Amino acid sequence: MGPRWKGKGSEAKALADPMSKIVLQLQSSLIKSEAQGLLCGCNVFLGAEAQEAGLLNRSCFGVPITTAEKEKQWFQLGMEEAFYLHYSLKCLMIVDENKRLMNDEELWLYMKSKKETFPDFYKAYSHLRMKNWVVMSGVRYGVDFVAYRHHPALIHSDFAVLVLSPEEEKGCGDGNSRLRTWSDIHCTTRLCSGVVKTLLVLNVSRNGADAISSSCVEKFTVYEYTITRWLPERCREVHMVVKNETSSCTVAEDETNIQVPSKVLETPHVEEAGS
């Protein structure tokens, strides 16, 4: 399934302004302004001037929120995207409710305490972001994230993303129990098919690391594969019509047995728009 652009000229706009370039501009702007986000509950709130607000919107970081303040546009960042700006891009400082600057380890432990699966979700989020995918919440589709090649105003999302950990690591915070039963696999792939998305599973292995600090995430490994519905009418072999001599009905028999493809899981080719 190829990219589904929204309207004429959308592809050209994306090619002329790749997401990697926009994120670099945002990173430079936030570093220059010494941007600070306010940690509150499970979110980080960031006030941005006009230029930074435009870059945040173009790079799809955070959700704009309406406030009475006219000088700044405020954005609500989720934990994964806030930590990505803070830890991976090193362009956002984060303070707690007492205006105290938080370091990497304090922020990591705080977010982990708020969300058991945060280490795995952050690794999955950063894995896609570093490949220049736009990653947004997938709650409306019953998944963890959705991934876009570029801005959602220009293109529909390609992937519905689920983040899993190997079963043997249940003692290491395996809180996401999706796709453990056949019925869940069936329901999820049916839903993805209905909204024209491919189900992308990111299986995060901690490789024995206990995730007690932010540096442990560098030891994690992400295994990615897709799951798609197998539709017989799309894969059926040539049929031969055979006349039943003992009755007046006509039945269809296969020349050979239909074989389910042995490989239905493929690694997506993830690339930056315009590459």
Side-chain angles (χ1 to χ4, degrees), residues 69-191:
E69 188 174 353
K70 296 182 179 180
E71 295 180 356
K72 288 186 177 182
Q73 170 69 64
W74 284 85
F75 289 80
Q76 178 179 322
L77 302 168
M79 290 195 293
E80 289 83 13
E81 54 189 351
F83 197 77
Y84 182 76
L85 291 171
H86 169 81
Y87 180 77
S88 294
L89 298 187
K90 302 187 184 305
C91 61
L92 178 65
M93 295 178 285
I94 298 178
V95 298
D96 62 16
E97 295 179 352
N98 297 318
K99 307 296 183 180
R100 185 180 64 87
L101 197 64
M102 302 183 71
N103 60 36
D104 294 350
E105 303 314 313
E106 290 173 330
L107 193 58
W108 174 267
L109 292 175
Y110 175 88
M111 292 184 171
K112 186 181 175 184
S113 71
K114 292 293 184 181
K115 184 177 180 180
E116 181 184 6
T117 56
F118 173 75
D120 301 322
F121 274 55
Y122 173 70
K123 181 64 178 181
Y125 178 90
S126 62
H127 174 78
L128 292 175
R129 268 291 186 177
M130 287 179 178
K131 294 188 176 185
N132 297 313
W133 287 92
V134 170
V135 187
M136 304 186 73
S137 172
V139 65
R140 65 186 295 186
Y141 301 111
V143 293
D144 300 319
F145 299 114
V146 285
Y148 298 78
R149 292 173 186 260
H150 208 276
H151 196 285
L154 299 178
I155 193 170
H156 293 279
S157 55
D158 288 74
F159 297 107
V161 184
L162 282 178
V163 182
L164 302 180
S165 296
E167 288 187 349
E168 62 268 23
E169 295 185 0
K170 285 186 177 181
C172 298
D174 183 24
N176 194 350
S177 59
R178 296 295 303 274
L179 304 186
R180 302 304 188 199
T181 63
W182 169 248
S183 59
D184 191 25
I185 296 174
H186 182 63
C187 291
T188 305
T189 53
R190 282 292 296 268
L191 185 149

Side-chain angles (χ1 to χ4, degrees), residues 23 32 66 87 119 131 158 208 210 218 220 223 229 275:
V23 173
K32 184 177 180 180
T66 303
Y87 180 77
K131 294 188 176 185
D158 288 74
D210 52 13
E218 308 300 333
F220 292 4
Y223 300 95
R229 290 180 66 206
S275 62

Side-chain angles (χ1 to χ4, degrees), residues 185-210:
I185 296 174
H186 182 63
C187 291
T188 305
T189 53
R190 282 292 296 268
L191 185 149
C192 291
S193 177
V195 294
V196 198
K197 303 185 192 312
T198 300
L199 177 60
L200 172 62
V201 176
L202 297 182
N203 203 328
V204 180
S205 173
R206 297 188 180 183
N207 297 316
D210 52 13

